[in-house]
Amino acid sequence: MDTFIEQMKELLDTETELEGTTVLASIEEWDSLSFVSFLAFAATTCGKRISAEELRKAQTVNDLFVLIR
Amino acid sequence: MKQVCYNFSGQNFVVSGASSGIGRQVVLDLAAAGAVVLGLARRSEALEELRAMAPENIKTTCCDVCNKGSIETAVGAFVAEHGKVHGCVHAAGNLIATPLRSYDAVAAHSLMETHFWGGVLLLQCCTRSQYAVKGTSSVVLSSIDAKVASKSLFAYASAKAALATAVKTFAKELAPKGHRVVSVSPGWVATELTQRLSEFAGPVKEEVYPLGVGQPEDVANLILFLLSDNARWISGTDIVIDGGFLA
């Protein structure tokens, strides 16, 4: 999970402290660009194809982690 | 007495291609304006000579812009010592003839690597929250060769065209954090690069330049303006500086 948090911080290019419970909507950098970046990250780095619809349901950092596990 | 003097004191910039030509002039001018500048290049002797001209303001690191780790290490160390950067200038790259019928593939690919991918890596690094303040200003060097073709230069021209196009996308992606990015397209400027060009293409035809050939200072003047707050509404575009050539 720690690695994932680091990867998310880099992907979002944020200096905010992230935790599993962090609500995505509260992160300034969680925008349409991050959305696309996460889909690419899931496909390329994690080898998981996630649909945009599945990703839209994610509310927290934990939800993102569950998607790529 | 110059009409315009810049004041970049308290600001930090990274410049690639610092060892000669336009890159070197930008480093000198930024330093004279009070900025602290990290000059990146591969030639250590030229870098050392540059650094010695203003050691308080000019810092240098040997670095290959095609290497992401290399850039991160150099910029990371610079930021750790001097604080986050306020922008970067990508002036690295050379010129190799690549005529379609007989071009050297390695040479041709290296042009795209240095000019285009090197620029992408530098921009990526210098706009990360970790290394950059909000509202940075970055400039990449494109070329009028991306607009008007010369025989045997497809690889160089295409790399420069690719940069100018990428800049538009980056401008939109980076605007939320106030970052600006612009490309500059110079005509023939008297540098090592054009010196090499004239060795195989012959001397520049000065008569096509209404105002004669350019000097590195001319382009550096434009770049400093673009790095300054006076250019706060300029982003995602390409600015031609060519002595009237395209007119």
Side-chain angles (χ1 to χ4, degrees):
Chain A
M1 182 62 168
D2 283 340
T3 319
F4 180 72
I5 299 266
E6 282 313 304
Q7 286 170 321
M8 287 303 99
K9 281 183 79 169
E10 206 178 296
L11 187 143
L12 296 170
D13 190 27
T14 183
E15 300 203 285
T16 322
E17 278 315 310
L18 298 180
E19 288 164 23
T21 49
T22 308
V23 173
L24 297 175
S26 73
I27 307 169
E28 196 188 331
E29 293 87 351
W30 182 252
D31 58 9
S32 55
L33 203 54
S34 300
F35 192 92
V36 167
S37 302
F38 186 83
L39 288 175
F41 164 78
T44 322
T45 313
C46 314
K48 292 211 81 175
R49 291 227 101 85
I50 309 172
S51 72
E53 203 178 312
E54 282 178 274
L55 182 52
R56 264 190 280 275
K57 294 197 183 118
Q59 307 267 353
T60 64
V61 170
N62 248 334
D63 291 343
L64 293 180
F65 184 61
V66 162
L67 283 173
I68 56 102
R69 239 181 5 200
Chain B
M1 173 83 184
K2 288 179 75 162
Q3 291 169 318
V4 177
C5 285
Y6 289 99
N7 180 2
F8 284 102
S9 356
Q11 301 208 338
N12 307 314
F13 292 93
V14 181
V15 179
S16 71
S19 54
S20 67
I22 295 170
R24 183 176 176 280
Q25 192 61 49
V26 170
V27 171
L28 290 171
D29 288 356
L30 280 173
V36 175
V37 192
L38 173 64
L40 302 175
R42 289 173 307 171
R43 290 179 282 176
S44 53
E45 249 181 61
L47 278 181
E48 187 40 44
E49 211 186 292
L50 176 64
R51 197 192 64 78
M53 296 185 73
E56 284 295 301
N57 293 72
I58 300 177
K59 317 296 170 184
T60 59
T61 303
C62 263
C63 173
D64 180 357
V65 284
C66 302
N67 185 311
K68 181 172 177 168
S70 188
I71 299 176
E72 251 205 72
T73 305
V75 173
F78 179 69
V79 166
E81 191 169 341
H82 302 282
K84 293 186 178 184
V85 302
H86 295 76
C88 70
V89 177
H90 180 57
N94 65 350
L95 192 145
I96 307 168
T98 57
L100 177 61
R101 76 166 75 118
S102 61
Y103 69 93
D104 178 285
V106 170
H109 285 248
S110 80
L111 288 176
M112 190 59 84
E113 271 305 306
T114 316
H115 290 279
F116 178 69
W117 290 112
V120 171
L121 289 176
L122 186 67
L123 286 172
Q124 185 190 51
C125 185
C126 294
T127 54
R128 291 187 65 79
S129 300
Q130 202 180 349
Y131 301 129
V133 302
K134 285 199 173 176
T136 61
S137 174
S138 297
V139 176
V140 302
L141 271 301
S142 178
S143 168
I144 53 160
D145 286 315
K147 301 173 195 287
V148 171
S150 300
K151 292 186 197 181
S152 85
L153 292 185
F154 85 84
Y156 173 81
S158 301
K160 290 308 202 185
L163 260 181
T165 296
V167 155
K168 298 181 214 237
T169 306
F170 298 156
K172 291 196 172 176
E173 288 186 14
L174 297 168
K177 291 204 166 150
H179 300 310
R180 297 187 291 106
V181 56
V182 179
S183 64
V184 164
S185 285
W188 191 291
V189 179
T191 65
E192 269 182 47
L193 185 143
T194 49
Q195 173 64 31
R196 238 175 283 129
L197 175 58
S198 59
E199 275 158 24
F200 63 82
V204 58
K205 295 188 184 62
E206 288 228 26
E207 63 271 17
V208 301
Y209 282 89
L211 294 175
V213 303
Q215 297 299 321
E217 294 81 359
D218 297 317
V219 187
N221 282 342
L222 172 61
I223 292 175
L224 260 69
F225 162 69
L226 292 168
L227 294 176
S228 79
D229 292 335
N230 280 0
R232 70 180 184 191
W233 206 46
I234 304 179
S235 192
T237 190
D238 177 73
I239 307 206
V240 168
I241 173 168
D242 68 351
F245 173 79
L246 289 178

